[in-house]
Amino acid sequence: MTPMGRALVTGASRGIGRAVALELGAMGFEVLVNFRTEAAKAAQVCDAIVASGGRAVPVGFDVTDADDVARALAPYLDAPEGIDVLVCNAGVTCDGLFIGMDHEAWDRPIRTALDGFYHVARPIVRGMAKRRRGRVVVLSSVSGITGNPGQVNYSAAKAGLIGATKALARELAARNVIVNCVAPGLIDTDMSADAPRDALLAAIPMRRIGRPEEVAKVVCFLCGDAPSYLTGQVIAVDGGLT
Ligand code: NDP
């Protein structure tokens, strides 16, 4: 454990999660770098943190699998120091028009976002509430704020996370555990690689795509320097879109 404490970032093998893990490592947290399939990429993230003088451990689990999450987190949940910071970042899209959407496509983003939140956040915030300190940041999306055509499933999942964040923030405020959402707009990662970028850029006042590091800065502010009076909020990082 480092003096800053321990942070878990789900889906940290690439994209926004990777940028958050690197930044938390630089801030002095011991980072648990979660991956689902990309063990080698998670190991690279850990190596980069360690090479800069930090501490990091890859932790493999699928957030949709309750048993897998419980097995992987057990050593950390049982430790007296527990987990101080949780970033619920893992997410997937499964785009298509609603009228042609089969149930598996409907369910995947919702399972990953909402079941994933339930499986990972519940045991961790239990420890935070006991220790009377902790910070949780949840990655939502502007799709969950405004809705996005072709993403009825994903918009529902990400709006659900906003509701969950606000309710949990109220449950835990008196225990000094703060819970906030970050809602990115269009960010340059694998997830947005197939998006119709030119059409989307026209709607973004800043006329450019965001960088994962720009989202990570806001996430890490909420994990670190943000006052504990800031809870239950949704901060969009979207170039002025919303
Ligand atoms: P990427 O697709 O680049 O990365 C997603 C990450 O989530 C990967 O590390 C992936 O792991 C992991 N993941 C997916 N499913 C699971 C699972 N079941 N269990 C554990 N890990 C899982 O996405 P981004 O970095 O772009 O997105 C990060 C977050 O930000 C997501 O919640 C996304 O919805 C949100 N967001 C992104 C936007 C964008 O424009 N990029 C815009 C708005 C919100 P693996 O490699 O093993 O699949």
Side-chain angles (χ1 to χ4, degrees):
M1 271 273 284
T2 69
M4 283 296 280
R6 181 180 283 142
L8 167 65
V9 185
T10 65
S13 56
R14 53 197 169 95
I16 293 169
R18 175 180 181 277
V20 170
L22 292 173
E23 180 81 20
L24 289 173
M27 286 163 70
F29 285 97
E30 179 191 11
V31 190
L32 306 180
V33 176
N34 165 243
F35 63 95
R36 179 183 48 168
T37 53
E38 306 263 20
K41 286 189 180 168
Q44 283 169 11
V45 175
C46 292
D47 288 349
I49 293 170
V50 171
S52 313
R55 294 186 61 173
V57 188
V59 182
F61 59 82
D62 180 333
V63 299
T64 66
D65 182 336
D67 294 340
D68 200 21
V69 174
R71 174 201 52 76
L73 292 185
Y76 304 102
L77 296 172
D78 293 344
E81 65 275 13
I83 293 172
D84 304 283
V85 162
L86 168 63
V87 181
C88 290
N89 166 80
V92 293
T93 50
C94 207
D95 295 354
L97 290 178
F98 186 60
I99 51 174
M101 188 176 283
D102 66 28
H103 194 266
E104 172 56 19
W106 165 255
D107 206 33
R108 252 192 90 210
I110 292 174
R111 251 189 352 250
T112 306
L114 298 181
D115 288 1
F117 177 81
Y118 175 77
H119 294 148
V120 178
R122 199 176 68 98
I124 290 177
V125 301
R126 196 190 297 142
M128 290 176 173
K130 253 190 224 159
R131 291 188 302 279
R132 293 183 179 269
R133 83 188 191 112
R135 293 183 172 223
V136 179
V137 182
V138 180
L139 271 291
S140 177
S141 165
V142 295
S143 300
I145 298 174
T146 63
N148 199 24
Q151 292 193 318
V152 171
N153 50 358
Y154 181 75
S155 301
K158 293 301 191 179
L161 285 176
I162 291 174
T165 296
K166 286 179 172 287
L168 188 60
R170 284 171 179 258
E171 283 192 12
L172 295 177
R175 296 276 175 155
N176 193 34
V177 177
I178 70 168
V179 190
N180 289 289
C181 253
V182 171
L186 183 64
I187 308 298
D188 192 8
T189 67
D190 295 344
M191 182 176 278
S192 63
D194 296 333
R197 290 191 180 186
D198 288 346
L200 293 169
L201 287 178
I204 299 171
M206 214 152 262
R207 299 281 184 270
R208 69 170 177 86
I209 192 165
R211 295 188 300 276
E213 294 74 20
E214 293 178 292
V215 180
K217 281 280 177 211
V218 179
V219 172
C220 293
F221 168 68
L222 293 167
C223 296
D225 282 343
S228 59
Y229 211 52
L230 198 175
T231 195
Q233 301 306 303
V234 183
I235 302 180
V237 184
D238 64 0
L241 184 60
T242 51

Short mmCIF file of all heavy atoms in Angstrom, two decimals, residues 10-18 34-39 41 61-65 88-93 108 112 139-143 154 158 161 182-192 209 212 215, ligand 1:
data_model
loop_
_atom_site.label_atom_id
_atom_site.label_comp_id
_atom_site.label_asym_id
_atom_site.label_seq_id
_atom_site.Cartn_x
_atom_site.Cartn_y
_atom_site.Cartn_z
N THR A 10 -11.71 -0.32 -13.16
CA THR A 10 -12.18 -1.41 -14.02
C THR A 10 -11.97 -1.03 -15.48
O THR A 10 -12.04 0.14 -15.85
CB THR A 10 -13.66 -1.76 -13.76
OG1 THR A 10 -14.49 -0.65 -14.14
CG2 THR A 10 -13.90 -2.12 -12.30
N GLY A 11 -11.70 -2.05 -16.30
CA GLY A 11 -11.47 -1.80 -17.73
C GLY A 11 -10.30 -0.88 -17.98
O GLY A 11 -10.40 0.08 -18.74
N ALA A 12 -9.17 -1.20 -17.34
CA ALA A 12 -8.02 -0.27 -17.39
C ALA A 12 -6.94 -0.72 -18.36
O ALA A 12 -5.85 -0.16 -18.37
CB ALA A 12 -7.44 -0.12 -15.98
N SER A 13 -7.25 -1.72 -19.19
CA SER A 13 -6.23 -2.21 -20.12
C SER A 13 -6.02 -1.25 -21.29
O SER A 13 -4.99 -1.29 -21.95
CB SER A 13 -6.64 -3.59 -20.66
OG SER A 13 -7.93 -3.53 -21.25
N ARG A 14 -7.01 -0.41 -21.56
CA ARG A 14 -6.88 0.50 -22.71
C ARG A 14 -7.82 1.69 -22.53
O ARG A 14 -8.60 1.74 -21.58
CB ARG A 14 -7.18 -0.23 -24.03
CG ARG A 14 -8.50 -0.97 -24.04
CD ARG A 14 -8.54 -1.99 -25.18
NE ARG A 14 -9.67 -2.89 -25.06
CZ ARG A 14 -10.84 -2.72 -25.66
NH1 ARG A 14 -11.02 -1.67 -26.45
NH2 ARG A 14 -11.82 -3.58 -25.49
N GLY A 15 -7.71 2.64 -23.47
CA GLY A 15 -8.65 3.75 -23.52
C GLY A 15 -8.63 4.65 -22.28
O GLY A 15 -7.57 4.92 -21.69
N ILE A 16 -9.82 5.08 -21.87
CA ILE A 16 -9.95 6.02 -20.75
C ILE A 16 -9.47 5.38 -19.45
O ILE A 16 -8.77 6.01 -18.65
CB ILE A 16 -11.42 6.49 -20.63
CG1 ILE A 16 -11.80 7.33 -21.86
CG2 ILE A 16 -11.64 7.28 -19.34
CD1 ILE A 16 -13.30 7.62 -21.98
N GLY A 17 -9.81 4.10 -19.24
CA GLY A 17 -9.40 3.40 -18.01
C GLY A 17 -7.89 3.36 -17.87
O GLY A 17 -7.35 3.55 -16.77
N ARG A 18 -7.21 3.13 -18.98
CA ARG A 18 -5.74 3.10 -18.97
C ARG A 18 -5.19 4.47 -18.56
O ARG A 18 -4.31 4.57 -17.70
CB ARG A 18 -5.24 2.73 -20.38
CG ARG A 18 -3.75 2.79 -20.56
CD ARG A 18 -3.37 2.41 -22.01
NE ARG A 18 -1.94 2.43 -22.17
CZ ARG A 18 -1.21 3.51 -22.41
NH1 ARG A 18 -1.83 4.69 -22.51
NH2 ARG A 18 0.09 3.43 -22.53
N ASN A 34 -7.63 -3.42 -13.62
CA ASN A 34 -8.51 -4.50 -14.05
C ASN A 34 -8.50 -4.64 -15.57
O ASN A 34 -8.46 -3.68 -16.31
CB ASN A 34 -9.94 -4.25 -13.56
CG ASN A 34 -10.97 -5.14 -14.27
OD1 ASN A 34 -11.84 -4.64 -14.97
ND2 ASN A 34 -10.86 -6.44 -14.12
N PHE A 35 -8.54 -5.90 -16.00
CA PHE A 35 -8.72 -6.21 -17.42
C PHE A 35 -9.68 -7.39 -17.52
O PHE A 35 -9.88 -8.12 -16.54
CB PHE A 35 -7.38 -6.58 -18.07
CG PHE A 35 -6.77 -7.82 -17.49
CD1 PHE A 35 -6.98 -9.06 -18.08
CD2 PHE A 35 -6.02 -7.76 -16.33
CE1 PHE A 35 -6.46 -10.22 -17.52
CE2 PHE A 35 -5.48 -8.92 -15.76
CZ PHE A 35 -5.70 -10.14 -16.36
N ARG A 36 -10.29 -7.56 -18.67
CA ARG A 36 -11.13 -8.74 -18.88
C ARG A 36 -10.39 -9.74 -19.75
O ARG A 36 -10.14 -10.86 -19.33
CB ARG A 36 -12.44 -8.32 -19.55
CG ARG A 36 -13.38 -9.49 -19.83
CD ARG A 36 -14.62 -9.04 -20.55
NE ARG A 36 -14.31 -8.17 -21.70
CZ ARG A 36 -15.17 -7.81 -22.63
NH1 ARG A 36 -16.42 -8.21 -22.54
NH2 ARG A 36 -14.81 -7.03 -23.62
N THR A 37 -9.97 -9.31 -20.96
CA THR A 37 -9.31 -10.23 -21.89
C THR A 37 -7.85 -9.86 -22.15
O THR A 37 -7.06 -10.70 -22.52
CB THR A 37 -10.06 -10.25 -23.24
OG1 THR A 37 -10.18 -8.89 -23.69
CG2 THR A 37 -11.44 -10.85 -23.11
N GLU A 38 -7.52 -8.58 -21.96
CA GLU A 38 -6.23 -8.08 -22.44
C GLU A 38 -5.19 -8.06 -21.32
O GLU A 38 -4.74 -6.99 -20.90
CB GLU A 38 -6.41 -6.66 -23.00
CG GLU A 38 -7.49 -6.54 -24.06
CD GLU A 38 -6.92 -6.60 -25.46
OE1 GLU A 38 -5.79 -7.10 -25.63
OE2 GLU A 38 -7.61 -6.14 -26.38
N ALA A 39 -4.76 -9.27 -20.89
CA ALA A 39 -3.79 -9.35 -19.78
C ALA A 39 -2.47 -8.66 -20.13
O ALA A 39 -1.88 -7.97 -19.28
CB ALA A 39 -3.54 -10.81 -19.41
N LYS A 41 -1.90 -6.18 -22.16
CA LYS A 41 -2.03 -4.71 -22.14
C LYS A 41 -2.10 -4.19 -20.71
O LYS A 41 -1.53 -3.14 -20.39
CB LYS A 41 -3.25 -4.27 -22.93
CG LYS A 41 -3.05 -4.39 -24.42
CD LYS A 41 -4.18 -3.74 -25.18
CE LYS A 41 -3.93 -3.89 -26.68
NZ LYS A 41 -5.11 -3.55 -27.46
N PHE A 61 -10.74 -9.74 -14.12
CA PHE A 61 -12.10 -10.25 -13.89
C PHE A 61 -13.04 -9.60 -14.87
O PHE A 61 -12.77 -8.52 -15.42
CB PHE A 61 -12.57 -10.04 -12.44
CG PHE A 61 -12.61 -8.60 -11.95
CD1 PHE A 61 -13.67 -7.77 -12.25
CD2 PHE A 61 -11.58 -8.10 -11.16
CE1 PHE A 61 -13.71 -6.46 -11.78
CE2 PHE A 61 -11.60 -6.80 -10.69
CZ PHE A 61 -12.67 -5.97 -11.00
N ASP A 62 -14.18 -10.31 -15.08
CA ASP A 62 -15.24 -9.79 -15.93
C ASP A 62 -16.30 -9.18 -15.01
O ASP A 62 -16.87 -9.90 -14.17
CB ASP A 62 -15.82 -10.97 -16.74
CG ASP A 62 -16.94 -10.57 -17.67
OD1 ASP A 62 -17.63 -9.56 -17.40
OD2 ASP A 62 -17.15 -11.26 -18.67
N VAL A 63 -16.55 -7.89 -15.15
CA VAL A 63 -17.47 -7.22 -14.20
C VAL A 63 -18.88 -7.80 -14.23
O VAL A 63 -19.64 -7.61 -13.28
CB VAL A 63 -17.53 -5.68 -14.42
CG1 VAL A 63 -16.17 -5.04 -14.21
CG2 VAL A 63 -18.13 -5.33 -15.77
N THR A 64 -19.24 -8.50 -15.32
CA THR A 64 -20.59 -9.07 -15.40
C THR A 64 -20.71 -10.40 -14.66
O THR A 64 -21.81 -10.94 -14.54
CB THR A 64 -21.03 -9.28 -16.87
OG1 THR A 64 -20.20 -10.28 -17.46
CG2 THR A 64 -20.94 -7.99 -17.67
N ASP A 65 -19.59 -10.94 -14.20
CA ASP A 65 -19.56 -12.28 -13.59
C ASP A 65 -19.33 -12.13 -12.08
O ASP A 65 -18.21 -11.89 -11.62
CB ASP A 65 -18.44 -13.08 -14.26
CG ASP A 65 -18.33 -14.51 -13.73
OD1 ASP A 65 -18.77 -14.76 -12.59
OD2 ASP A 65 -17.79 -15.35 -14.46
N CYS A 88 -15.37 3.04 -11.69
CA CYS A 88 -16.17 2.08 -12.48
C CYS A 88 -16.16 2.56 -13.93
O CYS A 88 -16.96 3.42 -14.32
CB CYS A 88 -17.61 2.04 -11.96
SG CYS A 88 -17.77 1.28 -10.36
N ASN A 89 -15.23 2.02 -14.69
CA ASN A 89 -14.99 2.53 -16.04
C ASN A 89 -15.38 1.53 -17.14
O ASN A 89 -15.70 1.93 -18.26
CB ASN A 89 -13.50 2.89 -16.16
CG ASN A 89 -13.07 3.11 -17.59
OD1 ASN A 89 -13.30 4.17 -18.17
ND2 ASN A 89 -12.46 2.08 -18.20
N ALA A 90 -15.36 0.23 -16.83
CA ALA A 90 -15.61 -0.78 -17.87
C ALA A 90 -16.95 -0.50 -18.55
O ALA A 90 -17.95 -0.25 -17.88
CB ALA A 90 -15.61 -2.18 -17.26
N GLY A 91 -16.94 -0.54 -19.86
CA GLY A 91 -18.19 -0.30 -20.58
C GLY A 91 -18.09 -0.84 -22.00
O GLY A 91 -16.99 -1.00 -22.54
N VAL A 92 -19.25 -1.17 -22.57
CA VAL A 92 -19.30 -1.61 -23.97
C VAL A 92 -20.50 -0.97 -24.67
O VAL A 92 -21.50 -0.64 -24.03
CB VAL A 92 -19.44 -3.16 -24.10
CG1 VAL A 92 -18.19 -3.87 -23.61
CG2 VAL A 92 -20.67 -3.68 -23.38
N THR A 93 -20.36 -0.83 -25.97
CA THR A 93 -21.49 -0.42 -26.79
C THR A 93 -21.93 -1.61 -27.64
O THR A 93 -21.14 -2.54 -27.88
CB THR A 93 -21.11 0.73 -27.75
OG1 THR A 93 -19.92 0.37 -28.44
CG2 THR A 93 -20.89 2.04 -27.01
N ARG A 108 -26.34 -6.37 -23.34
CA ARG A 108 -24.88 -6.35 -23.08
C ARG A 108 -24.39 -5.06 -22.44
O ARG A 108 -23.72 -5.08 -21.41
CB ARG A 108 -24.10 -6.60 -24.39
CG ARG A 108 -23.48 -7.98 -24.40
CD ARG A 108 -22.48 -8.12 -25.52
NE ARG A 108 -21.14 -7.75 -25.13
CZ ARG A 108 -20.24 -7.23 -25.94
NH1 ARG A 108 -20.53 -6.99 -27.20
NH2 ARG A 108 -19.04 -6.95 -25.51
N THR A 112 -23.12 -4.88 -18.51
CA THR A 112 -21.76 -4.42 -18.20
C THR A 112 -21.82 -3.20 -17.29
O THR A 112 -21.08 -3.12 -16.29
CB THR A 112 -21.01 -4.08 -19.50
OG1 THR A 112 -21.08 -5.21 -20.37
CG2 THR A 112 -19.56 -3.72 -19.23
N LEU A 139 -18.08 6.08 -14.76
CA LEU A 139 -18.06 6.61 -16.12
C LEU A 139 -19.42 6.41 -16.75
O LEU A 139 -19.82 5.29 -17.08
CB LEU A 139 -16.97 5.91 -16.95
CG LEU A 139 -15.56 6.55 -16.92
CD1 LEU A 139 -15.54 7.89 -17.64
CD2 LEU A 139 -15.02 6.72 -15.52
N SER A 140 -20.15 7.52 -16.92
CA SER A 140 -21.39 7.50 -17.66
C SER A 140 -21.06 7.95 -19.08
O SER A 140 -20.00 7.62 -19.62
CB SER A 140 -22.42 8.41 -16.98
OG SER A 140 -23.61 8.45 -17.73
N SER A 141 -21.93 8.76 -19.69
CA SER A 141 -21.70 9.22 -21.07
C SER A 141 -22.71 10.33 -21.36
O SER A 141 -23.80 10.35 -20.77
CB SER A 141 -21.94 8.06 -22.04
OG SER A 141 -22.07 8.54 -23.36
N VAL A 142 -22.38 11.20 -22.30
CA VAL A 142 -23.40 12.18 -22.71
C VAL A 142 -24.61 11.46 -23.30
O VAL A 142 -25.72 11.99 -23.26
CB VAL A 142 -22.85 13.23 -23.71
CG1 VAL A 142 -21.79 14.11 -23.08
CG2 VAL A 142 -22.33 12.58 -24.97
N SER A 143 -24.42 10.24 -23.80
CA SER A 143 -25.56 9.46 -24.31
C SER A 143 -26.58 9.20 -23.21
O SER A 143 -27.78 9.06 -23.49
CB SER A 143 -25.10 8.10 -24.86
OG SER A 143 -24.20 8.28 -25.91
N TYR A 154 -27.42 1.54 -24.83
CA TYR A 154 -26.28 2.18 -24.15
C TYR A 154 -26.73 3.43 -23.39
O TYR A 154 -26.28 3.69 -22.28
CB TYR A 154 -25.23 2.51 -25.21
CG TYR A 154 -23.95 3.16 -24.72
CD1 TYR A 154 -22.98 2.42 -24.06
CD2 TYR A 154 -23.70 4.51 -24.97
CE1 TYR A 154 -21.79 3.00 -23.64
CE2 TYR A 154 -22.51 5.10 -24.56
CZ TYR A 154 -21.55 4.35 -23.90
OH TYR A 154 -20.39 4.94 -23.49
N LYS A 158 -26.26 4.03 -19.44
CA LYS A 158 -25.48 5.14 -18.90
C LYS A 158 -26.36 6.10 -18.08
O LYS A 158 -25.86 6.73 -17.13
CB LYS A 158 -24.77 5.87 -20.04
CG LYS A 158 -23.69 5.02 -20.71
CD LYS A 158 -22.63 4.58 -19.70
CE LYS A 158 -21.41 3.97 -20.36
NZ LYS A 158 -20.38 3.59 -19.39
N LEU A 161 -26.67 4.50 -14.71
CA LEU A 161 -25.51 4.75 -13.84
C LEU A 161 -25.60 6.12 -13.16
O LEU A 161 -25.14 6.28 -12.03
CB LEU A 161 -24.21 4.65 -14.64
CG LEU A 161 -23.76 3.23 -15.00
CD1 LEU A 161 -22.51 3.28 -15.87
CD2 LEU A 161 -23.49 2.40 -13.74
N VAL A 182 -18.63 10.93 -14.20
CA VAL A 182 -18.05 11.71 -15.28
C VAL A 182 -18.72 11.23 -16.57
O VAL A 182 -18.83 10.01 -16.79
CB VAL A 182 -16.52 11.54 -15.34
CG1 VAL A 182 -15.94 12.16 -16.60
CG2 VAL A 182 -15.88 12.18 -14.09
N ALA A 183 -19.18 12.18 -17.38
CA ALA A 183 -19.89 11.84 -18.62
C ALA A 183 -19.08 12.34 -19.81
O ALA A 183 -19.19 13.52 -20.17
CB ALA A 183 -21.29 12.45 -18.61
N PRO A 184 -18.27 11.48 -20.41
CA PRO A 184 -17.50 11.93 -21.58
C PRO A 184 -18.39 12.10 -22.80
O PRO A 184 -19.43 11.46 -22.94
CB PRO A 184 -16.49 10.79 -21.81
CG PRO A 184 -16.53 9.94 -20.58
CD PRO A 184 -17.91 10.11 -20.02
N GLY A 185 -17.93 12.99 -23.69
CA GLY A 185 -18.53 13.09 -25.02
C GLY A 185 -17.80 12.14 -25.96
O GLY A 185 -17.57 10.98 -25.60
N LEU A 186 -17.39 12.64 -27.10
CA LEU A 186 -16.68 11.78 -28.07
C LEU A 186 -15.18 11.79 -27.75
O LEU A 186 -14.52 12.82 -27.86
CB LEU A 186 -16.92 12.31 -29.49
CG LEU A 186 -16.31 11.50 -30.63
CD1 LEU A 186 -16.94 10.10 -30.70
CD2 LEU A 186 -16.47 12.22 -31.97
N ILE A 187 -14.66 10.63 -27.36
CA ILE A 187 -13.27 10.52 -26.91
C ILE A 187 -12.54 9.52 -27.81
O ILE A 187 -13.11 8.49 -28.22
CB ILE A 187 -13.20 10.05 -25.43
CG1 ILE A 187 -14.08 10.94 -24.53
CG2 ILE A 187 -11.76 10.02 -24.94
CD1 ILE A 187 -13.70 12.42 -24.47
N ASP A 188 -11.30 9.81 -28.09
CA ASP A 188 -10.51 9.04 -29.06
C ASP A 188 -10.00 7.73 -28.45
O ASP A 188 -8.90 7.67 -27.90
CB ASP A 188 -9.34 9.91 -29.52
CG ASP A 188 -8.64 9.30 -30.73
OD1 ASP A 188 -9.16 8.31 -31.28
OD2 ASP A 188 -7.58 9.82 -31.11
N THR A 189 -10.83 6.69 -28.52
CA THR A 189 -10.45 5.35 -28.03
C THR A 189 -10.99 4.31 -29.03
O THR A 189 -11.69 4.66 -29.98
CB THR A 189 -11.09 5.05 -26.66
OG1 THR A 189 -12.51 4.94 -26.85
CG2 THR A 189 -10.79 6.12 -25.62
N ASP A 190 -10.73 3.04 -28.73
CA ASP A 190 -11.26 1.96 -29.58
C ASP A 190 -12.79 2.04 -29.68
O ASP A 190 -13.37 1.75 -30.72
CB ASP A 190 -10.91 0.59 -28.99
CG ASP A 190 -9.41 0.33 -28.99
OD1 ASP A 190 -8.68 1.05 -29.71
OD2 ASP A 190 -8.97 -0.58 -28.26
N MET A 191 -13.43 2.44 -28.57
CA MET A 191 -14.89 2.45 -28.53
C MET A 191 -15.49 3.38 -29.59
O MET A 191 -16.54 3.08 -30.16
CB MET A 191 -15.39 2.87 -27.14
CG MET A 191 -16.89 2.86 -27.02
SD MET A 191 -17.47 3.23 -25.37
CE MET A 191 -17.33 1.64 -24.59
N SER A 192 -14.81 4.49 -29.85
CA SER A 192 -15.37 5.47 -30.80
C SER A 192 -14.80 5.32 -32.20
O SER A 192 -15.10 6.12 -33.09
CB SER A 192 -15.09 6.90 -30.28
OG SER A 192 -13.70 7.11 -30.23
N ILE A 209 -12.28 15.91 -31.30
CA ILE A 209 -12.51 14.77 -30.42
C ILE A 209 -11.68 14.96 -29.15
O ILE A 209 -10.63 15.60 -29.20
CB ILE A 209 -12.15 13.47 -31.19
CG1 ILE A 209 -12.63 12.22 -30.45
CG2 ILE A 209 -10.66 13.39 -31.48
CD1 ILE A 209 -12.63 10.96 -31.32
N PRO A 212 -8.31 10.71 -24.11
CA PRO A 212 -8.53 9.98 -22.85
C PRO A 212 -7.93 10.69 -21.65
O PRO A 212 -8.52 10.70 -20.56
CB PRO A 212 -7.83 8.63 -23.10
CG PRO A 212 -7.78 8.47 -24.57
CD PRO A 212 -7.73 9.86 -25.16
N VAL A 215 -10.22 13.26 -20.01
CA VAL A 215 -11.23 12.67 -19.13
C VAL A 215 -10.56 12.23 -17.82
O VAL A 215 -11.09 12.46 -16.72
CB VAL A 215 -11.92 11.47 -19.81
CG1 VAL A 215 -12.96 10.85 -18.88
CG2 VAL A 215 -12.56 11.89 -21.12
P1 NDP B 1 -12.68 1.02 -24.69
O1 NDP B 1 -13.58 0.20 -25.55
O2 NDP B 1 -11.48 1.65 -25.30
O3 NDP B 1 -12.21 0.17 -23.41
C1 NDP B 1 -13.18 -0.46 -22.64
C2 NDP B 1 -12.52 -1.12 -21.46
O4 NDP B 1 -13.54 -1.77 -20.69
C3 NDP B 1 -11.54 -2.20 -21.87
O5 NDP B 1 -10.44 -2.19 -20.99
C4 NDP B 1 -12.35 -3.47 -21.70
O6 NDP B 1 -11.61 -4.63 -21.42
C5 NDP B 1 -13.18 -3.11 -20.51
N1 NDP B 1 -14.34 -3.98 -20.37
C6 NDP B 1 -15.40 -4.11 -21.20
N2 NDP B 1 -16.26 -5.03 -20.73
C7 NDP B 1 -15.72 -5.48 -19.55
C8 NDP B 1 -16.13 -6.43 -18.60
N3 NDP B 1 -17.27 -7.12 -18.75
N4 NDP B 1 -15.34 -6.63 -17.51
C9 NDP B 1 -14.18 -5.95 -17.35
N5 NDP B 1 -13.74 -5.05 -18.24
C10 NDP B 1 -14.51 -4.83 -19.33
O7 NDP B 1 -13.62 2.12 -24.04
P2 NDP B 1 -13.32 3.63 -23.57
O8 NDP B 1 -12.01 3.70 -22.92
O9 NDP B 1 -13.64 4.52 -24.70
O10 NDP B 1 -14.50 3.79 -22.52
C11 NDP B 1 -14.30 3.79 -21.10
C12 NDP B 1 -15.61 4.19 -20.45
O11 NDP B 1 -15.99 5.49 -20.90
C13 NDP B 1 -16.78 3.27 -20.80
O12 NDP B 1 -17.61 3.10 -19.69
C14 NDP B 1 -17.49 4.04 -21.90
O13 NDP B 1 -18.84 3.67 -21.97
C15 NDP B 1 -17.29 5.47 -21.46
N6 NDP B 1 -17.40 6.44 -22.53
C16 NDP B 1 -16.57 6.42 -23.62
C17 NDP B 1 -16.73 7.36 -24.64
C18 NDP B 1 -15.86 7.41 -25.86
O14 NDP B 1 -16.15 8.22 -26.77
N7 NDP B 1 -14.79 6.65 -25.95
C19 NDP B 1 -17.80 8.36 -24.57
C20 NDP B 1 -18.60 8.29 -23.38
C21 NDP B 1 -18.40 7.36 -22.42
P3 NDP B 1 -11.21 -5.70 -22.61
O15 NDP B 1 -10.13 -5.03 -23.37
O16 NDP B 1 -10.76 -6.88 -21.87
O17 NDP B 1 -12.44 -5.90 -23.43
#
